[in-house]
Amino acid sequence: LVKPDGSILLHRLGETRVEGLTRRQLAEKLQKDLMPYMKEPIVNVVFLNHKVTVIGEVGNPGVVQMPGEQMPLLEVLMASGDIKPTAKKDKVMVIRDNGNEKKVKIVNLEDYSIFSSPWYYSQPNDIIYVLADKNDLAKQEKKKTVQTTVTLVASGLSFIFLVVDRITRK
């Protein structure tokens, strides 16, 4: 576990500064430092709390664990169940911690320039909010209302014809 001051405490090695090192650099440093105590030390460094939060118009909103230093935005969205058809693909909000402030960027997934943007790669603790297309939601609601109305009218007419048929047969 890395302490807030950027160090870790290891048996035999004591306090070791790890701030600013990549996982690979840290693993190599620890292997080298452990050589006097072990014949062939094997060190595996993993992240326990690298996550991205995905909310909004996705299949499974929630927390997505990041296996590496960064993760492409499209992979994060796929891991959260993909974008729903009612989502605005041209307005995906990425909220990123930058020290003591939060930066917000609206990303257009339909624009090819996203692949060269620094916002394409999600970073730990990013929040990704996929906005809903209000017009599409209104259209779907209207369609559902029309379908329900047509179904009720058709059922009512069928019932009336059935009753009229039974009465005229007697």
Side-chain angles (χ1 to χ4, degrees):
L1 182 63
V2 180
K3 296 180 182 176
D5 67 350
S7 65
I8 58 174
L9 178 62
L10 293 171
H11 182 66
R12 300 261 188 217
L13 297 180
E15 289 275 328
T16 305
R17 295 284 301 161
V18 298
E19 185 176 27
L21 298 176
T22 65
R23 290 188 307 160
R24 179 176 289 154
Q25 290 170 335
L26 178 57
E28 289 170 0
K29 176 183 176 8
L30 293 177
Q31 283 177 337
K32 188 177 115 207
D33 291 350
L34 289 169
M35 284 298 254
Y37 307 105
M38 300 177 160
K39 187 174 181 180
E40 292 180 23
I42 297 173
V43 178
N44 187 16
V45 179
V46 294
F47 294 116
L48 293 179
N49 59 351
H50 264 45
K51 62 181 176 44
V52 176
T53 304
V54 184
I55 54 177
E57 292 295 299
V58 292
N60 300 314
V63 177
V64 175
Q65 297 298 323
M66 291 177 60
E69 308 257 345
Q70 55 188 7
M71 189 173 178
L73 182 60
L74 296 176
E75 284 186 31
V76 172
L77 292 171
M78 289 303 296
S80 63
D82 203 4
I83 295 178
K84 291 182 179 178
T86 56
K88 283 189 171 184
K89 292 164 191 69
D90 61 337
K91 291 195 177 163
V92 175
M93 185 184 303
V94 179
I95 305 165
R96 182 166 292 164
D97 276 333
N98 192 13
N100 291 335
E101 65 179 356
K102 297 220 184 263
K103 286 190 172 183
V104 178
K105 174 75 173 172
I106 302 293
V107 177
N108 183 356
L109 297 179
E110 295 175 336
D111 186 3
Y112 293 113
S113 67
I114 182 67
F115 296 111
S116 60
S117 169
W119 292 86
Y120 176 65
Y121 287 99
S122 298
Q123 295 180 359
N125 300 321
D126 276 1
I127 299 171
I128 299 169
Y129 178 42
V130 181
L131 300 170
D133 187 353
K134 301 291 184 196
N135 293 334
D136 194 39
L137 289 173
K139 286 178 188 175
Q140 285 185 354
E141 191 63 37
K142 187 175 181 181
K143 182 178 177 183
K144 195 184 296 184
T145 303
V146 168
Q147 287 175 340
T148 304
T149 304
V150 168
T151 302
L152 288 173
V153 168
S155 297
L157 288 174
S158 296
F159 179 72
I160 290 171
F161 285 132
L162 184 67
V163 169
V164 169
D165 182 56
R166 296 286 177 185
I167 291 174
T168 57
R169 281 190 177 185
K170 290 185 179 187

